[in-house]
Amino acid sequence: MTKVTKSPARSHLLATLQVEIPDDLLDLALTHRSWSYEHGGVPTNERLEFLGDSILGQAVTVMLYNRYPELGEGDLAKRRASLVSTVALAGIGKTIGLGPFILLGRGEDLTGGRSKASILADTVEALIGATYLGVGADTATALVLRLVEPLIENPDTFGESMDPKTTLQELAATLGAEAPVYEVSESGPDHRKSFVATVTVGTLATATGEGSSKKQAESAAARLAQQLLAPGA
């Protein structure tokens, strides 16, 4: 892989994460497939993302199990889904200012790739995977818990936002609007699908969301539509 020298700006990113990821793994974690395509097929962050997703899920599962002994399996599963969702991870990516550090192809960059929820979420997972390989399991787990802690403390995280499609449907009914209608498209190979969902609420709102599954994409679109219909909600 072409070497990318770590700049003071990248040092700032590492300071924000409170980890010291080795340069080669940091480069890899930040390399989107669009960059790879334009630079001779260099390795991408997708394998690190795969690893980071598993570490994220395990760390959040154990944390919720210990933190909420009164909750049953169903409630724990809903909370975990909320914390590891594309929407949540993209929010984390925006909070830590991740977008400018991602290595994107020119086309992806020009179409706003640095702020796309799916790209931000995938890169956060890749950074978790890189931390695991470069620094160790305990440090990776600690990183996950630091990243999700603000979400746990936010009462909205486990509120209606856990089921955005239902919330949107109820909001539309309250406004006297037509029921939300979803259209979903998919792209990519079978083992690496990406989905884009567009939801339309009558003539009042149209919103688009992305995700690694149909459900994630529809949820992301529903959240945005809800914000358009009820700003500040």
Side-chain angles (χ1 to χ4, degrees), residues 4-194:
V4 181
T5 303
K6 183 171 66 173
S7 67
R10 284 196 172 189
S11 297
H12 177 73
L13 173 63
L14 293 178
T16 301
L17 295 174
Q18 300 178 44
V19 295
E20 282 295 332
I21 303 173
D23 288 359
D24 57 342
L25 284 172
L26 179 59
D27 294 339
L28 186 59
L30 296 173
T31 302
H32 186 257
R33 61 177 176 268
S34 62
W35 171 276
S36 171
Y37 179 78
E38 295 183 8
H39 291 79
V42 298
T44 73
N45 63 4
E46 292 178 351
R47 282 173 55 84
L48 283 178
E49 176 202 340
F50 171 79
L51 177 62
D53 177 70
S54 295
I55 297 162
L56 170 71
Q58 180 182 26
V60 169
T61 298
V62 173
M63 179 273 295
L64 290 173
Y65 182 88
N66 291 327
R67 187 164 184 150
Y68 300 102
E70 75 282 4
L71 295 183
E73 177 187 2
D75 288 333
L76 289 173
K78 289 179 181 179
R79 293 187 178 229
R80 178 178 59 191
S82 180
L83 290 174
V84 304
S85 69
T86 296
V87 172
L89 295 178
I92 289 171
K94 291 178 181 179
T95 298
I96 64 177
L98 181 57
F101 298 99
I102 303 174
L103 298 176
L104 291 176
R106 178 173 173 80
E108 190 68 70
D109 196 6
L110 291 175
T111 56
R114 298 186 188 281
S115 60
K116 286 184 179 179
S118 58
I119 292 177
L120 287 169
D122 290 349
T123 308
V124 168
E125 290 181 333
L127 287 170
I128 294 169
T131 301
Y132 177 90
L133 292 181
V135 192
D138 290 344
T139 302
T141 297
L143 172 62
V144 169
L145 298 182
R146 283 197 302 274
L147 292 176
V148 303
E149 185 66 29
L151 302 180
I152 300 170
E153 298 301 327
N154 182 354
D156 292 336
T157 300
F158 300 137
E160 291 183 337
S161 59
M162 290 178 61
D163 188 5
K165 291 182 66 176
T166 298
T167 301
L168 178 61
Q169 184 172 347
E170 293 175 350
L171 178 59
T174 299
L175 296 174
E178 298 176 17
V181 176
Y182 295 84
E183 294 184 2
V184 181
S185 62
E186 62 180 71
S187 60
D190 290 341
H191 68 283
R192 196 68 187 177
K193 291 288 188 183
S194 60

